[in-house]
Structures are given as structure tokens and as C-alpha cells.
Amino acid sequence: MTGALAPTKPLTVADRCDRCGAQAYVRAVLVGGGDLLFCAHHGRKYTEALRANGADIQDETDRLNETPTAVVED
């Protein structure tokens, strides 16, 4: 994530990749307004070009390596 990115909501399971429909882990906030959402694969593919064109990138791909917390019910 770059320092210039305006505060945005974390991506959720409902956010889908604009290329393939998989769960989105990368948001590109475009200079002219609007944003694009990408899965980790498409995020890696397009991030450099988007940054070169001034987009701010919100990258949450580190969430793919998180271990889920077990929920214990009483």
C-alpha cells in the first residue's frame, strides 16, 4: 500500500476480481476516480502498470497466508 492512498474499507469475501470473479485481495484506486478489484493472481499481473499510471494500490494478499482462528462455542 502506498502512503497516498485514502482510507478505504478492507476487502471482503463479497468483493470480486474484475477479471475473473475470484475473491479480490487487491484494490487499485485510479487517478481519475473509481477503482478496480483483482484477485491475487491478476493483482500481481497488473499492479506495476497501474502504479506506473498513478494508481494507488491496496494490497491485502498477505491475508492469504493467515491461519484462521478456531471459534469455540460454549
Side-chain angles (χ1 to χ4, degrees):
M1 189 180 319
T2 67
L5 184 65
T8 56
K9 297 185 307 187
L11 295 166
T12 70
V13 70
D15 293 310
R16 310 312 287 179
C17 177
D18 289 328
R19 292 292 296 166
C20 69
Q23 183 174 348
Y25 288 95
V26 177
R27 174 183 283 128
V29 180
L30 305 176
V31 173
D35 60 4
L36 296 170
L37 301 177
F38 296 109
C39 63
H41 165 79
H42 286 112
R44 283 189 298 273
K45 184 173 181 176
Y46 297 115
T47 292
E48 282 190 43
L50 288 161
R51 271 199 183 116
N53 285 293
D56 285 320
I57 306 298
Q58 175 185 351
D59 185 344
E60 297 183 10
T61 55
D62 57 328
R63 291 181 27 224
L64 291 167
N65 295 323
E66 291 178 353
T67 303
T69 304
V71 176
V72 179
E73 294 186 25
D74 294 328

